[in-house]
Amino acid sequence: MGVSVDNVRGLVLAVSSSIFIGSSFIVKKKGLKKAGRSGVSAGSGGFSYLYEPLWWAGMLTMILGEIANFAAYAFAPAILVTPLGALSIIVSSVLAHFILKERLHIFGILGCILCVVGSVSIVLHAPLEKDIDSVKEVWYLATEPGFIVYCCVVVSLVCLLIFHFVPRYGQTHMVVYVAICSLMGSLTVMSVKAVGIALKLTFSGINQFIYAQTWFFTFVVIICCLLQMNYLNKALDTFNTAVISPVYYVMFTTFTIFASVIMFKDWDTQNASQIVTEICGFVTILSGTFLLHSTMDMGKVAPDESTSSNNVDIETETSKSSSHSLMN
């Protein structure tokens, strides 16, 4: 990969986002634990955590992380930014080990190492961000035949899943909800990238909000996010979060990279060796993510009966937050 100021900025923002989001889980969990000791826990329907400053500090940290993630797409290609979302899992796991005393066993450490190795591989071989001078250029890329076909296929599949498969298999097959979220997520990221570029150009003195295309991309972001969050919540309420998180991460990241390759032609300027290295890095991150999630409960000591219910409630709320962060 050549040296690119925009890629470096996007990398710094993406890593900062993972640090903020990963840290937010720990801060929120400490807030939830503290609130649970003095009132009704979140998982039991209580809202005492709303009066806990620690929980709000965690929420603020998460918001900062999401803003940094949004900004990263304005500077770097999705193939660089999206896989780095796995780093938030590493940050939360390591901090939980030292702060919450939730010990990382050997497989958890190996999973973290795999995620880091895969991330470094992608960073070193990621394509350069295209120079875009107007949101109209993004609109041109989005209206080329290849991406139009991709959008039509995605919308058709989502409609088929919602109207045919959800009523029949939604409560028994996790992949139905996850597929809807992942497919829509790929369109969300492409639209977020377009809006991010528009904001970047606007802040540099070239107003992009005079163009209808900017508002169209903004509208698509809102619609896709609402639909995505709706079915992600359904999945989290129905199935085991520890299984949903890695599967959703894999599907979402795969579709997002595929959409970016079609729309922004990320691989056109790269040779076969660079592309294969990026794919290997991505597979390495996936392996680390699955290893972390599939073995996260190994070596845990069963909690006392008096605190088990409260701890389960806290773990559930925190796990849901973790899954939501993987959306970007």
Side-chain angles (χ1 to χ4, degrees):
M1 181 187 77
V3 177
S4 166
V5 175
D6 276 352
N7 270 35
V8 172
R9 289 172 178 169
L11 171 62
V12 171
L13 286 167
V15 173
S16 300
S17 170
S18 293
I19 293 174
F20 279 125
I21 292 174
S23 302
S24 74
F25 300 151
I26 306 305
V27 179
K28 284 179 66 180
K29 184 166 182 177
K30 287 184 72 69
L32 287 167
K33 280 186 172 182
K34 188 175 180 181
R37 288 193 294 266
S38 58
V40 181
S41 63
S44 300
F47 296 96
S48 57
Y49 60 87
L50 293 176
Y51 300 98
E52 179 53 54
L54 263 180
W55 185 85
W56 283 107
M59 280 299 297
L60 178 60
T61 306
M62 177 170 283
I63 291 171
L64 290 174
E66 295 295 352
I67 292 173
N69 186 70
F70 180 94
Y73 283 109
F75 293 98
I79 197 171
L80 170 62
V81 176
T82 306
L84 293 181
L87 295 180
S88 64
I89 302 173
I90 298 177
V91 173
S92 61
S93 298
V94 172
L95 290 179
H97 177 82
F98 290 104
I99 297 176
L100 300 177
K101 307 305 178 185
E102 296 177 358
R103 298 304 178 189
L104 262 179
H105 48 77
I106 187 63
F107 293 109
I109 295 173
L110 178 59
C112 291
I113 293 173
L114 286 173
C115 288
V116 171
V117 170
S119 298
V120 171
S121 178
I122 289 178
V123 168
L124 292 178
H125 297 86
L128 298 177
E129 175 72 346
K130 293 180 180 295
D131 291 326
I132 296 177
D133 300 320
S134 171
V135 75
K136 287 187 174 182
E137 292 183 38
V138 183
W139 178 258
Y140 173 78
L141 295 171
T143 53
E144 286 191 336
F147 193 69
I148 291 291
V149 170
Y150 176 79
C151 289
C152 290
V153 170
V154 166
V155 172
S156 299
L157 286 174
V158 168
C159 289
L160 179 65
L161 288 167
I162 291 176
F163 296 110
H164 179 75
F165 287 96
V166 166
R168 293 171 174 80
Y169 308 109
Q171 297 296 311
T172 56
H173 293 73
M174 173 189 64
V175 72
V176 175
Y177 289 142
V178 175
I180 294 173
C181 297
S182 302
L183 287 166
M184 294 307 297
S186 67
L187 298 184
T188 302
V189 170
M190 295 304 100
S191 300
V192 162
K193 187 169 179 63
V195 175
I197 290 172
L199 286 170
K200 181 178 70 172
L201 292 171
T202 300
F203 289 144
S204 67
I206 309 172
N207 187 11
Q208 299 298 300
F209 286 88
I210 60 175
Y211 301 122
Q213 290 91 334
T214 302
W215 295 104
F216 176 81
F217 284 126
T218 303
F219 175 76
V220 172
V221 169
I222 295 171
I223 296 301
C224 288
C225 280
L226 290 175
L227 187 62
Q228 196 177 347
M229 290 302 300
N230 177 51
Y231 284 97
L232 181 58
N233 285 329
K234 288 179 182 292
L236 291 169
D237 284 339
T238 308
F239 303 101
N240 190 329
T241 305
V243 178
I244 290 174
S245 295
V247 173
Y248 175 53
Y249 173 77
V250 170
M251 293 183 69
F252 166 72
T253 307
T254 301
F255 284 131
T256 298
I257 291 176
F258 188 58
S260 182
V261 167
I262 295 174
M263 181 173 170
F264 291 96
K265 301 175 178 59
D266 293 328
W267 285 345
D268 282 7
T269 58
Q270 295 191 290
N271 56 43
S273 176
Q274 291 172 312
I275 294 172
V276 170
T277 303
E278 289 168 15
I279 293 174
C280 290
F282 178 48
V283 172
T284 303
I285 292 176
L286 298 185
S287 302
T289 303
F290 267 103
L291 189 59
L292 266 172
H293 277 278
S294 62
T295 61
M296 62 171 52
D297 292 326
M298 288 180 60
K300 284 188 177 180
V301 179
D304 297 333
E305 288 185 11
S306 60
T307 59
S308 60
S309 177
N310 185 49
N311 287 340
V312 168
D313 291 337
I314 293 170
E315 291 287 351
T316 301
E317 202 277 346
T318 306
S319 297
K320 289 185 178 182
S321 298
S322 177
S323 298
H324 287 184
S325 76
L326 292 178
M327 183 183 70
N328 294 319

